[in-house]
Amino acid sequence: MSSVAVLTPESFAEHRSGLKDQEIAGCVPEDEAYIPTYLEAFPPLPEKGAPGEKAGEPPSAWGSKIRPIKASVITQVFHVPLEERRYKDNSQFGEGEEAKVCLDIMQRTGAHIELSLAKDQGLSIMVTGKVDSVMKARKEIVARLQTQASATVAIPKEHHRFVIGKNGEKLQELELKTATKIAIPRPDDPSANIRITGTKEGIEKARHEILLISAEQDKRAVERLSLEKAFHPFIAGAHNRLVQELSLETGARISIPPSSLPKDEIVITGEKEAVALAVSRIRAIYEDKAKSVMVVEVTAPAWLHRFIIGKKGQNIGRITQQLPRVHIEFTDGEERISLEGPTEEVEQAQAQIQEIIKDLLVRMDYTEINIDQRFHRHLIGKNGANINRIKEQYKVSVRIAQDSERSGLVRIEGDPKGVQLARRELMEMVQRMENERTKDLIVEQKFHRTIIGQKGEKIKEVRDKFPEVIINFPDPSQKSDIVQLRGPKNEVEKCAKFLQKIIADLIENSFSLSVPIFKQFHKNIIGKGGANIKKIREETNTKIDLPTENSNSEMIVITGKKNNCEAARDRILAIQRELANIKEAEVTIPAKLHNSLIGSKGCLVRSIMEDCGGVHIHFPSEGSGSDKVTIRGPAGEVEKAKKQLLQLAEEKQVNNFTAELQAKPEYHKFLIGRGGANIRRVRDRTGARIIFPSPDDTEQELITIVGKEEAVRQAQKELESLVKNLDDVVEDRMVVDVRHHRHFVCRRGQVLRELAEEYGGVAVSFPRTGANSQRVTLKGAKDCVEAAKKRIQEIIEDLESQVTVEVAIPQRYHRAVMGPKGCRIQHITREHEVQIKFPERDDSVLPQENGEVSPEAEFVPRKCDVITISGRAEKCELAKAALLALVPITEDVEVSYELHRYIIGQKGIGIRKMMEDYEVNIWVPQPEKQLDVIKVTGLAANVERAKQGLLERVKELQAEQEDRALRSFKVTMSVDPKFHPKIIGRKGAVISQIRKDHDVSIQFPDKGDEQQDLIVISGYERNVEEARQAIQQLVAELQEMVSQDVHLDPRTHARIIGARGKAIRKLMEEFKVDIRFPQPGSDEPDKVTVTGLPETVDNAIDHLLNLEEEYLLSVTETETLAAYMKPPSPKGFVVRDAPWNSVFSFQAPDMSSAEDFPTFGTVVAPKQASAWGPKKF
């Protein structure tokens, strides 16, 4: 049995307006809203004394006393006699088992323990720490270091629970306090003996405490009264006031079971006299009420109980307010209501409740449907959106079982019609969800971002294509590959196939290849302005990444489809082969030697590649079992690398000995020598292989020597000797003519920096400008200083033996000779050790056609054409020959005059692209000359490539001309203008599909044209004819269509159209018709036009009329309800019997009163309280 006081917010909303109030004494008239009393609106808080306060002792005006602060760390000392010690071996005191036990206890409890041995061989123990830690440590010490005894103590069985205490707290406290183990028999055990285990002292303490607790309980009494539950409220009184007064008066504690608990036993505890007095008083109340109280049961369906109670207990509250002595009790799950109280009042309450039940049964209905629990959360919706919408729309209450109940029952209560409508909508939602399917796709997480798009634009396209499918990607932090699709079965399958196709394309396009290309050829692969690399990317549809300019890597990475990547690789390698004499060779070396040949972090194979002019050596992947090693590079260098690789492999097979040597990085170049001369001599003498670290290695000082042990030892000795000499720093001087000083210090001391790098960091100091001194100072290792002096002498000899040679090359070719950023000239100056100076540019000669002087013009050398070369005579001649080899040549290509403008392209973009791609200059004659020749100028190889490209372009243009002639076929057809919008379709969808299917151009007449019926179709003849037939067929279908008007109530238009037109589009697709609603402000707001085939139009109109009838019902109900509901009272919030309406007038507080304003620290005696509690106004 449980007493119900209030209801949940889901209570039936209409009840407050639908119920008819009974016109009985004290009721509010029917046409006025019920006005609550002040106490109902603002109920007082329950009066309860502060815990721990003694009766009759008033609390301080400023609260209870502040308790003294206790120390957080305590120390306890106790003694264990010799006869009670568990470990009595004193020979290892401080090191034996006692010490180990103490250490373990310290670690577990956090307390600090100190042991000492007394003269009587007893053990003194001092424990320091927090209170809890000390008590726990003491208990463990006694249990583990002291021999245990046991004893029993017998106390009455009913006192055992007081020894245990609430949640066992008293027992735990007792065990910690006495350092014992106390075992209390279980409630089902008849024994009353309590067993105590511990030391003798602890057992005595525990026994004493237990007997004290039992003695205390002997003074108390417990009485149990079994009285009918119906009389409990009369004993408790309103707000439990009566029972509280009874407890204060007798001093006994009275416990009445709550109404929700099916027990009728009242328990009274306390002193024997107090308990006896309380029992007699309770029996008196019971006997008095039993004579004047009757109990009546009213039958009502269980589902109707909460509506009988009313919103927030409003209905029952009115009855109990009018008849306060009547107790009304509702039983959960049962169809009865119990009324208890005086006979006359119970009969009145019964009549009122029966009237409410009768009224509710007329207006209320309910239904229950069983829905699979997995659909419940979808029915509820996000934050209850779906279920709240249904409740508001149909004015019903929907109860869905909680997940914990594991029930599929859904109960709908309310107006009979609303209940049926809500039931139908819920069943439709379930039917849709049953057709739903969830599918998981496995997609590698690296593809998720690509599928979604940078700003979600790509996944938006997929969602627009499949709007009914929900696509969920996992959070990036989850590292999951599962993408979940949810929606209608067919749509999910289509979406899954579409996504799988996208994923397959991504996987296919993610193939990657790395191509090693010599660094000096990267710029040629890129081309002028990126032309070459852009062309390869576009034609092979691949992504090509080159290393940065300052990177030492030579690998070009190609990404895309496998076939496309291989095609791009072949084209890049072809460019490299054209630019250099590249050869590829294969060497057979047993696979087991590959790792040893590569060396630690590739140091061995890298040293061979560097030694042999930067060839590329490729070993097969580990585990492939292949013995083939590929070497690619210049022909001579490939042979050299092949020989070294085979020699190294042979050494590895015969004898493999390695040694390491430390040397400062600045010494490495000197040890290697110019062109590797020094290190080569060591290798030749010893036969050992010496490997220096690359710039990327972390150990920059480590030099590795590989070979036979004897050879390695000898090479190590020689290198150590060289390094030792380098560590001996000396200072030397030499004389250098002042006129040569500028050569060494110009370009920010470039020559001096090169000397320092090449000769072990030697420092070369020239005198300041204007000092007129010839003395140059050198400081560094002795050998390095000598070598640097020798090199400076060689440079001076070169400077003194320099000659100057002039080369006449037309100024227009100077840029081509220099190359991009002067790279070609820099290469010649480095290779031949010369200086090349170009003349100042002369712009006095104006450029002619296409920005260049005509190639036919006779060349007459001018000052601006002469290039000066300075250096040794023989090297100057070699540099001159190299420069002349860079002078462009000119060749004629026959191209029809009519194609010139297409080759030039819009704003010259076509011809500029060809000049950038092939690094040539293309000369096209002026249009008025109408010549069929184009001149190409550039390096021989580039000119040949440009000629081939130009001829290919000519073939493409000729093919395009022929194609344009074929595509120019036109047909004109006449179509009634009223059909034009239908042929065009929504947003041009229909006409775009015809254009796409037949590859034609279709032009409709403009608004101002005279002939509004003509449509022009152009394209290939066959395609034009097929497009014309398609349009004619479409017109024939449109001519069969009819238009019919139907009048629908404007209030239903929005419901028929649906959110964003979704419902009307679905309807048009279902019936194959077009439906047009009137525009806002139309003269005929209810006129709707339906267009289509006659039978489909009739079916669509019938469906629309059915929808109108269905929607009008809900519209009418809503309007009726809105009209029926009264607007809120303009008076605001009103209550009856408020304090300000009382006959008593409130007075302002007395500032001189010690009660109203108590003095700090003093106790104020309260005013004498009434026997009925404080006054309420």
Side-chain angles (χ1 to χ4, degrees), residues 1041-1158:
M1041 291 185 178
V1042 297
S1043 289
Q1044 195 169 334
D1045 294 338
V1046 60
H1047 294 276
L1048 303 176
D1049 193 308
R1051 293 174 294 174
T1052 64
H1053 288 190
R1055 290 283 299 277
I1056 294 170
I1057 293 168
R1060 299 183 180 178
K1062 189 175 180 180
I1064 199 66
R1065 280 201 298 275
K1066 186 178 179 182
L1067 198 147
M1068 289 193 288
E1069 288 173 7
E1070 184 180 346
F1071 291 98
K1072 308 295 185 200
V1073 295
D1074 182 63
I1075 302 172
R1076 298 290 174 185
F1077 284 82
Q1079 295 292 329
S1082 172
D1083 295 335
E1084 295 180 283
D1086 60 345
K1087 181 180 174 183
V1088 178
T1089 305
V1090 186
T1091 306
L1093 296 175
E1095 60 274 13
T1096 59
V1097 168
D1098 291 341
N1099 292 337
I1101 288 174
D1102 289 344
H1103 186 74
L1104 286 171
L1105 291 170
N1106 289 337
L1107 287 176
E1108 179 197 30
E1109 184 180 353
E1110 181 184 336
Y1111 295 152
L1112 268 175
L1113 289 173
S1114 63
V1115 169
T1116 307
E1117 287 173 9
T1118 306
E1119 289 179 351
T1120 304
L1121 184 62
Y1124 183 68
M1125 294 288 287
K1126 291 182 179 180
S1129 172
K1131 296 178 183 178
F1133 186 71
V1134 180
V1135 295
R1136 293 181 290 115
D1137 301 334
W1140 48 85
N1141 296 328
S1142 173
V1143 294
F1144 301 101
S1145 59
F1146 281 94
Q1147 296 179 354
D1150 183 4
M1151 298 184 66
S1152 62
S1153 169
E1155 182 182 359
D1156 290 344
F1157 296 94

Side-chain angles (χ1 to χ4, degrees), residues 43 46 324 402 560 578 806 818 885 938 1169:
Q402 297 290 331
E578 284 179 19
E806 293 183 347
M818 288 181 186

Side-chain angles (χ1 to χ4, degrees), residues 556-571:
I556 295 177
V557 180
I558 309 168
T559 309
K561 293 183 179 178
K562 187 176 180 181
N563 294 338
N564 294 348
C565 288
E566 290 172 350
R569 178 192 62 188
D570 294 341
R571 291 186 61 170

Side-chain angles (χ1 to χ4, degrees), residues 875-990:
K875 292 184 177 180
C876 285
E877 290 302 323
L878 291 171
K880 180 180 178 181
L883 280 175
L884 291 171
L886 294 173
V887 176
I889 62 168
T890 302
E891 288 196 18
D892 295 345
V893 183
E894 289 191 10
V895 179
S896 173
Y897 161 73
E898 295 175 354
L899 301 177
H900 285 192
R901 62 193 183 96
Y902 299 111
I903 289 170
I904 293 170
Q906 189 176 12
K907 296 182 180 179
I909 191 170
I911 200 163
R912 275 201 304 274
K913 187 175 185 302
M914 290 186 75
M915 288 194 288
E916 288 172 359
D917 289 349
Y918 301 113
E919 297 183 14
V920 295
N921 181 59
I922 300 175
W923 180 81
V924 180
Q926 294 288 354
E928 56 270 15
K929 293 185 179 178
Q930 298 189 0
L931 298 175
D932 294 337
V933 67
I934 291 178
K935 296 183 182 294
V936 183
T937 304
L939 298 180
N942 294 349
V943 167
E944 189 60 33
R945 284 171 51 235
K947 276 178 66 179
Q948 295 300 323
L950 201 56
L951 292 173
E952 286 175 11
R953 178 65 180 147
V954 168
K955 288 180 183 177
E956 288 174 9
L957 290 170
Q958 289 172 345
E960 286 175 8
Q961 281 183 331
E962 294 172 5
D963 186 63
R964 274 198 297 274
L966 292 172
R967 287 182 69 90
S968 60
F969 182 77
K970 288 186 180 179
V971 163
T972 303
M973 63 184 297
S974 177
V975 177
D976 193 326
K978 68 179 182 181
F979 296 129
H980 288 192
K982 297 292 183 184
I983 296 169
I984 293 168
R986 184 181 174 85
K987 296 183 179 179
V990 178

Side-chain angles (χ1 to χ4, degrees), residues 391-679:
K391 286 178 181 178
E392 290 173 10
Q393 186 174 343
Y394 301 115
K395 305 299 180 186
V396 295
S397 172
V398 183
R399 289 178 171 270
I400 298 175
Q402 297 290 331
D403 291 343
S404 57
E405 296 176 25
R406 298 190 178 179
S407 170
L409 197 66
V410 176
R411 184 183 179 94
I412 309 168
E413 301 168 353
D415 179 74
K417 192 171 183 180
V419 166
Q420 293 306 316
L421 290 172
R423 183 182 186 279
R424 186 171 68 181
E425 182 162 345
L426 285 174
M427 293 306 292
E428 286 175 0
M429 289 171 70
V430 171
Q431 192 174 359
R432 283 200 303 272
M433 285 185 284
E434 282 176 345
N435 190 38
E436 275 194 355
R437 183 186 171 190
T438 300
K439 186 169 185 176
D440 290 343
L441 287 182
I442 306 298
V443 183
E444 286 186 63
Q445 197 178 32
K446 65 180 180 181
F447 295 133
H448 290 187
R449 179 50 55 193
T450 310
I451 294 170
I452 294 168
Q454 191 173 3
K455 293 183 179 177
E457 67 280 355
K458 292 185 179 177
I459 198 65
K460 187 177 183 297
E461 291 174 11
V462 179
R463 285 175 174 147
D464 291 343
K465 191 177 178 71
F466 304 99
E468 296 181 56
V469 180
I470 297 169
I471 306 169
N472 290 323
F473 284 84
D475 192 85
S477 60
Q478 293 177 355
K479 307 289 184 185
S480 173
D481 295 338
I482 296 174
V483 176
Q484 191 180 73
L485 310 180
R486 194 176 79 246
K489 186 176 179 182
N490 295 336
E491 291 297 308
V492 166
E493 289 298 329
K494 289 178 186 175
C495 184
K497 287 179 182 177
F498 184 78
L499 284 175
Q500 282 167 346
K501 187 181 177 184
I502 292 174
I503 294 158
D505 290 342
L506 286 173
I507 293 170
E508 189 180 359
N509 289 325
S510 63
F511 181 79
S512 184
L513 273 179
S514 293
V515 186
I517 299 294
F518 293 107
K519 192 78 175 178
Q520 61 265 35
F521 298 135
H522 283 196
K523 62 180 182 295
N524 304 95
I525 288 162
I526 295 168
K528 192 171 183 180
N532 292 354
I533 199 72
K534 187 178 178 184
K535 186 177 181 183
I536 295 170
R537 284 171 178 157
E538 289 173 355
E539 293 181 1
T540 60
N541 194 24
T542 56
K543 180 186 176 186
I544 303 173
D545 295 316
L546 287 90
T548 56
E549 191 175 345
N550 55 0
S551 169
N552 293 326
S553 174
E554 295 184 335
M555 288 293 178
I556 295 177
V557 180
I558 309 168
T559 309
K561 293 183 179 178
K562 187 176 180 181
N563 294 338
N564 294 348
C565 288
E566 290 172 350
R569 178 192 62 188
D570 294 341
R571 291 186 61 170
I572 289 170
L573 290 172
I575 294 172
Q576 182 178 242
R577 281 194 293 271
E578 284 179 19
L579 295 169
N581 180 23
I582 303 300
K583 179 184 175 182
E584 191 173 291
E586 285 188 348
V587 185
T588 302
I589 298 172
K592 64 182 181 179
L593 295 176
H594 289 183
N595 283 340
S596 59
L597 290 176
I598 293 169
S600 177
K601 297 181 182 178
C603 64
L604 292 178
V605 75
R606 193 163 53 243
S607 69
I608 295 174
M609 289 193 291
E610 290 172 358
D611 193 37
C612 301
V615 296
H616 290 289
I617 301 173
H618 177 69
F619 284 82
S621 57
E622 193 172 354
S624 64
S626 174
D627 295 339
K628 301 290 183 185
V629 179
T630 307
I631 308 171
R632 187 167 58 246
E637 300 298 336
V638 166
E639 288 301 321
K640 184 179 175 183
K642 182 178 177 181
K643 185 178 176 182
Q644 285 194 24
L645 201 58
L646 289 170
Q647 183 182 350
L648 186 58
E650 187 179 349
E651 287 176 6
K652 290 286 181 185
Q653 282 179 314
V654 175
N655 194 358
N656 184 15
F657 186 79
T658 304
E660 292 179 346
L661 179 71
Q662 296 282 342
K664 293 179 182 178
E666 56 265 28
Y667 293 165
H668 289 187
K669 283 197 175 183
F670 179 75
L671 293 173
I672 294 167
R674 196 170 185 190
N678 296 348
I679 207 67

